[in-house]
Every structure is written in structure tokens, then in C-alpha cells.
């Protein structure tokens, strides 16, 4: 119910009242009903808006500094909100840590001990919409460096061939190892987040979600070389009737999945997030299929890189990615085979293989290009995920303390079974649904927003019916016979 309709209806009720008592009652009814309507209005607006990225609950907002001197501190196990503007138009400033003090470059700091491996992640969240333009090389980068400016590690995440706005994430790490050289000592380190923007790209500020996770040392000296041979042969994908689970908007409300076949709906320009618990010794095989009913089946055409699937590890580090083109028939994006999760994988030379270095929640980001709208219509398309978790869980390495996000707990397994958006093991704050609570199995923040609107509507109707009944009762008692 709109505010205008609510006022019109209640005004009619008040106008019909006879006597001071009835007028007072009508005024009270008016006030209560309008209050309920006003409460319901934000829910209505939220239901009509497209879902945007859900940030972590309780995330502290920090301002990135122009220089390292004024940098705010980020603490391990915490998640923060910030933002970053575009670099100077046409210059490409903000492409790395060398653009000191430039627009598009922001500084933070972290205090590291001398034994833990540390991961600093930045999720860039551009504004969504058809009027927002990003280019092939538009990117966000994260650099970790010591106080002398020596680089520990740096990573860049760019939009590449999928040139449309969606959340992208990059992670810089500090790995402690014997004979590791620089960045091994305890102390304060600089975190440099930089944005690169093409001249023709939209220059609106991007939101940032920053997180720092710390992986404790092992009790005994670990191996410093990667594991031996492993099987890259993909098992037969799971079959059967898919169960529906709606994807989330980001890392914090990602829908929990286990091995099996799952279905969802995705519209042009939309990005959905899911997560799968992967234990030590296990491999994940993933297929994402865009069905033949995608968009308007009567329209013909071809869309390159229509569907993108990206896998992130528990530290939010990009592991591997795959695109699939679409021409009206079912199209599948299958992620490359990765080794079983092992601590020693961090010493492998290939970045994707090194990414599966610890147990925990692994995240799938699935995006559909907005170009599908022009070719196949602005309609939701069927999405099927086939997930295989291969191998039994192996013994975990012996950490000196609880590894936090880098483990799979009984609560995590239960969340994957039920489909909750929140599980147990993560040391990072999580968001659940947009309404602030935990999403129900098989639902999402999108479903919950509609539920809130429905409840608000029921509440408004209940007040009106109850009020009209009381008004009629009082009016008849005070009215003359025959009224």
C-alpha cells in the first residue's frame, strides 16, 4: 500500500466518525496505520530494486589514506568497508603501488607477527547498472609492502573480456618460510589498494570490502616443496533432478552447497555467489550450465563469454576462472582440474594449483553478461551447477592455534547440507540475508526481502480491519436508533 492510498482510506474513516470519542479513535487508528505503512515502504522499495552486494555485518568503515603516514590499521580476523575513486582521466594512475599519493591509490596498514601467513583481500564493488561502463583492463590491485617500500606480494583483478560491472577481488599474501628473505619479520606493513580506470570508463567511486585473515604456523616444520603427482581426471558429473538454491550477492551471503546438482535463475548483468566446504585431501570439480531456455528461446544469436565462473579460496584469493559462450543451446563452463587440498600446494609454481592450500569455504562467483539482454531478451535464464567433491577428508596439519577460516567444521558441513548462507568455521564476519538475519534453506536475501514486504502488508491490513471493527462498534453504540 502506498502512503497516498493509506492516507486516503484513513481520512475517509475519520470523516465518518460521530462525536469526540469516535474522532479520537479514528485519529489513533490513522496514526497506527500510517506508522505501519511507513515501516512497510522501505521493504517495498527493496523488493523492487535489484539485489546489490551485501557487506559483512558489523564491518567498520575506514578511510583509505593518500599516504602511508596517515594509513588506518586493519586487524586480522576483521572485515572493513572503504571506497576508492578513479585515477586521473586518461593517465592510468592507480595501476600499482608506484602511483604514490595519486587519485585511485589508497593506503592502509597491518601489524604482522613473525610466524603466521597473512592474506589481505580487497573486494571492489562497482555500482551496477546499464549506465555503468568498465573496460578490459579496469582493475583493482592489492600490494603488501614493508616500511622500506619492498614489495612482499601483489595481485591484480581485472574485468578482462567480460566488460561489465560486478564484484572483483584480489589478495596479497605474506608467507613465512625458512630462507624466505624479505617480509619475514614481525612489524607494521603497508597495504596499498589501487584502482586502474580507462579513459572511457565510468568514474564513480567504487565501494571496497577489505579483510585480513591470519593462518597460524604449524607445530612442526612443514615441507617446503609442493606435493607429488596427482590425478587431474575429472569424475563423471553428478546426475539427477537438481534442487533449487538461490545464490547470494557476495562472499557474505553466498549460498552454501554440497556435492550434487543445483539450479537457480540468473538474469543479464547479474552475479551470484555460492560456497562449498572443501576439506584437506579433497578436490572440487565444477560445471556451470546455461540452459537452452535461456532468455527468449525464439530469438537467435551468439554471445561470446556469456557466462563466467570464478573460484575463490577461503582467503578470497582468485583460484581459477572459465567462460562459456552462448548461442541458444545449453552451454557449459567447466573449471580446470585442481590438486587435492594440501598445505604444501602453496609452494607450487602455478597460481591456480597454489591456491588450494587450505581447507575451508571455497566460493563460486557466477556472472551473466548484460549482452544477453540485447540478443536473447531481458529475461532470467536457467542455471545448473554440478559439483563433485572428490576424495575423503584427510588429517589436518597441526597448527599452533585454531586456524579459524582455514578448516571445515561440523557446522560448516551442516550449513552445506541445509543451504544456510552462514556456517561455523569462518573467522571473518558474515552477513546472512539483507534483512540482517540468517537466510533460510533454499532461499536468499532476495526471498527474505519479499517476505518482509508480505509481513508488513499483513500487518497493515490487520490494523485496518481491527480498527474498522472497533470504530463500527463504538459508532453504533453512540448512534440513534435506526442509524
Amino acid at each position: 500500500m502506498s502512503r497516498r492510498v493509506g492516507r486516503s482510506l484513513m481520512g475517509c474513516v475519520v470523516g465518518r466518525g460521530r462525536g469526540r470519542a469516535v474522532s479520537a479513535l479514528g485519529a489513533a487508528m490513522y496514526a497506527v496505520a500510517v506508522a505501519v505503512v511507513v515501516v512497510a515502504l522501505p521493504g517495498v522499495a527493496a523488493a523492487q530494486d535489484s539485489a546489490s552486494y551485501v557487506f559483512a555485518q558489523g564491518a567498520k568503515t575506514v578511510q583509505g589514506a593518500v599516504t602511508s603516514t596517515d594509513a588506518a590499521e586493519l586487524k586480522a580476523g576483521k572485515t572493513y568497508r572503504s571506497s576508492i575513486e578513479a585515477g586521473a582521466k586518461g593517465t592510468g594512475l592507480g595501476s600499482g603501488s608506484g602511483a604514490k599519493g595519486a587519485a585511485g591509490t589508497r593506503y592502509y596498514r597491518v601489524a604482522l607477527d613473525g610466524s603466521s601467513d597473512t592474506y589481505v583481500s580487497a573486494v571492489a564493488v562497482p555500482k551496477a547498472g546499464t549506465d555503468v561502463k568498465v573496460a578490459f583492463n579496469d582493475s583493482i590491485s592489492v600490494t603488501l609492502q614493508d616500511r622500506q617500500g619492498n614489495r612482499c606480494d601483489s595481485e591484480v583483478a581485472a574485468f578482462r573480456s567480460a566488460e561489465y560491472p560486478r564484484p572483483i577481488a584480489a589478495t596479497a599474501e605474506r608467507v613465512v618460510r625458512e630462507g624466505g628473505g624479505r617480509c619475514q619479520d614481525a612489524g607494521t606493513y603497508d597495504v596499498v589498494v589501487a584502482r586502474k580506470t580507462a579513459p572511457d570508463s565510468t568514474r564513480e567511486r567504487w565501494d571496497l570490502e577489505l579483510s585480513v585473515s591470519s593462518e597460524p604456523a604449524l607445530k612442526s616444520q612443514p615441507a617446503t616443496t609442493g606435493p607429488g603427482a596427482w590425478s587431474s581426471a575429472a569424475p563423471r558429473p553428478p546426475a539427477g533432478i537438481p534442487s533449487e538454491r538461490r545464490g547470494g550477492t557476495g562472499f557474505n551471503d553466498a549460498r552454501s552447497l554440497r556435492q550434487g546438482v543445483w539450479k537457480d535463475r540468473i538474469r543479464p548483468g547479474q552475479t551470484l555467489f555460492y560456497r562449498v566446504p572443501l576439506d584437506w585431501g579433497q578436490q572440487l570439480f565444477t560445471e556451470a550450465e546455461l540452459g537452452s531456455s535461456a532468455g527468449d528461446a525464439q530469438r537467435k544469436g551468439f554471445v561470446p563469454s556469456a557466462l563466467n565462473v570464478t573460484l575463490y579460496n577461503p582467503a578470497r584469493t582468485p583460484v581459477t576462472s572459465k567462460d562459456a559462450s552462448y548461442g541458444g543451446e545449453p552451454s557449459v563452463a567447466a573449471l580446470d582440474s585442481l590438486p587435492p587440498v594440501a598445505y604444501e600446494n602453496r609452494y607450487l609454481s602455478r597460481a591456480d594449483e597454489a591456491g588450494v592450500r587450505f581447507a575451508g569455504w571455497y566460493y563460486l562467483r557466477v556472472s551473466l553478461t548484460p549482452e544477453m539482454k540485447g540478443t536473447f531478451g531481458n529475461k532470467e535464464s536457467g542455471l545448473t551447477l554440478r559439483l563433485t567433491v572428490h576424495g575423503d577428508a584427510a588429517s589436518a596439519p597441526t597448527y599452533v592455534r585454531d586456524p579459524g577460516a582455514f578448516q571445515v567444521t561440523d557446522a560448516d558441513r551442516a550449513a552445506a547440507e541445509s543451504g544456510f548462507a552462514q556456517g561455523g568455521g569462518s573467522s571473518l564476519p558474515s552477513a546472512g540475508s539483507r534483512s540482517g538475519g540468517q537466510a533460510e534453506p533454499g532461499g536468499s536475501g532476495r526471498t527474505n526481502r519479499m517476505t518482509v514486504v508480505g509481513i508488513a502488508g499483513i500487518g497493515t491490513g490487520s490494523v485496518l480491519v481491527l480498527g474498522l471493527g472497533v470504530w463500527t462498534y463504538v459508532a453504533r453504540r453512540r448512534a440513534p436508533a435506526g442509524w
Side-chain angles (χ1 to χ4, degrees):
M1 175 184 296
S2 70
R3 187 191 308 264
R4 184 177 57 140
V5 173
R7 286 184 175 176
S8 174
L9 177 59
M10 296 314 297
C12 177
V13 172
V14 172
R16 288 190 60 186
R18 293 190 180 184
R20 297 179 60 183
V22 178
S23 298
L25 176 61
M29 291 163 51
Y30 173 85
V32 172
V34 169
V36 175
V37 173
V38 171
V39 169
L41 282 173
V44 174
Q48 293 173 342
D49 292 341
S50 60
S52 57
Y53 187 91
V54 172
F55 289 85
Q57 285 184 346
K60 179 182 178 181
T61 299
V62 295
Q63 183 70 37
V66 176
T67 66
S68 60
T69 304
D70 302 317
E73 183 178 6
L74 308 178
K75 295 183 179 295
K78 301 293 184 181
T79 303
Y80 301 84
R81 289 192 64 167
S82 192
S83 62
I84 191 167
E85 69 275 40
K89 188 171 183 178
T91 66
L93 291 177
S95 59
S97 60
K100 298 181 182 298
T105 302
R106 287 295 175 262
Y107 284 82
Y108 310 86
R109 68 179 61 182
V110 291
L112 305 184
D113 60 27
S115 61
S116 302
D117 290 350
T118 303
Y119 305 88
V120 183
S121 170
V123 182
V125 186
K127 180 183 176 182
T130 56
D131 58 336
V132 179
K133 181 181 179 181
V134 295
F136 183 91
N137 282 327
D138 283 3
S139 64
I140 196 75
S141 67
V142 184
T143 300
L144 187 64
Q145 60 189 37
D146 64 21
R147 301 300 286 175
Q148 288 72 46
N150 298 312
R151 180 177 298 187
C152 311
D153 185 48
S154 184
E155 184 175 59
V156 179
F159 294 99
R160 300 306 180 192
S161 58
E163 298 178 353
Y164 56 92
R166 63 195 185 281
I168 55 174
T171 303
E173 64 186 48
R174 192 286 300 265
V175 175
V176 178
R177 67 176 73 182
E178 186 176 356
R182 65 178 61 170
C183 303
Q184 301 293 292
D185 297 332
T188 299
Y189 289 76
D190 291 329
V191 176
V192 188
V193 179
R195 172 184 170 183
K196 182 177 181 180
T197 309
D200 295 334
S201 296
T202 305
R203 314 194 63 77
E204 288 188 56
R205 182 178 292 269
W206 289 356
D207 287 328
L208 294 176
E209 183 170 68
L210 308 171
S211 60
V212 181
S213 49
S214 178
E215 182 189 18
L218 301 184
K219 289 184 176 180
S220 58
Q221 183 66 31
T224 56
T225 58
W230 52 275
S231 175
S232 60
R236 184 185 299 273
I241 299 175
S243 301
E244 183 175 5
R245 288 194 182 171
R246 305 301 301 267
T249 66
F251 290 97
N252 304 296
D253 65 341
R255 180 61 49 200
S256 302
L257 303 177
R258 55 170 172 77
Q259 175 173 294
V261 186
W262 309 99
K263 67 178 180 179
D264 202 347
R265 307 289 295 178
I266 188 169
R267 65 178 179 273
Q270 188 176 26
T271 294
L272 301 174
F273 279 77
Y274 310 86
R275 63 178 191 168
V276 185
L278 204 59
D279 217 333
W280 300 101
Q282 294 183 325
Q283 289 173 281
L284 177 64
F285 297 89
T286 302
E287 287 188 359
E289 177 184 307
L290 200 61
S292 58
S293 60
D296 186 346
Q298 303 303 316
R299 303 173 69 168
K300 304 298 181 182
F302 181 80
V303 180
S305 301
L307 188 70
N308 172 264
V309 183
T310 301
L311 178 70
Y312 295 86
N313 69 21
R316 301 184 175 182
T317 304
V319 177
T320 187
S321 184
K322 186 70 69 173
D323 291 339
S325 300
Y326 187 77
E329 296 299 322
S331 183
V332 176
L335 296 181
D336 293 339
S337 298
L338 296 168
V341 174
Y343 186 91
E344 295 79 14
N345 286 345
R346 67 196 63 206
Y347 304 118
L348 294 173
S349 58
R350 283 183 47 172
D352 57 345
E353 296 179 355
V356 287
R357 64 181 64 184
F358 27 54
W361 287 107
Y362 281 73
Y363 297 87
L364 290 167
R365 186 198 68 191
V366 182
S367 301
L368 186 64
T369 176
E371 292 182 12
M372 285 285 291
K373 178 179 178 180
T375 305
F376 291 96
N378 189 24
K379 297 182 179 180
E380 286 188 327
S381 301
L383 173 68
T384 303
L385 297 175
R386 297 181 178 89
L387 306 180
T388 301
V389 178
H390 182 68
D392 296 327
S395 298
T398 307
Y399 289 102
V400 296
R401 56 178 171 81
D402 187 284
F406 306 119
Q407 62 182 321
V408 175
T409 66
D410 289 341
D412 294 332
R413 297 184 187 94
E417 185 70 28
S418 65
F420 280 125
Q422 299 183 51
S426 176
S427 63
L428 299 177
S430 59
S433 68
R434 176 178 292 277
S435 58
Q438 186 165 318
E440 294 298 325
S444 72
R446 293 175 287 172
T447 304
N448 290 344
R449 287 196 298 276
M450 292 306 298
T451 302
V452 171
V453 173
I455 292 173
I458 292 171
T460 305
S462 299
V463 170
L464 292 175
V465 172
L466 179 61
L468 287 170
V470 174
W471 177 85
T472 302
Y473 173 75
V474 174
R476 287 187 178 276
R477 287 178 56 88
R478 303 177 68 90
W483 179 77

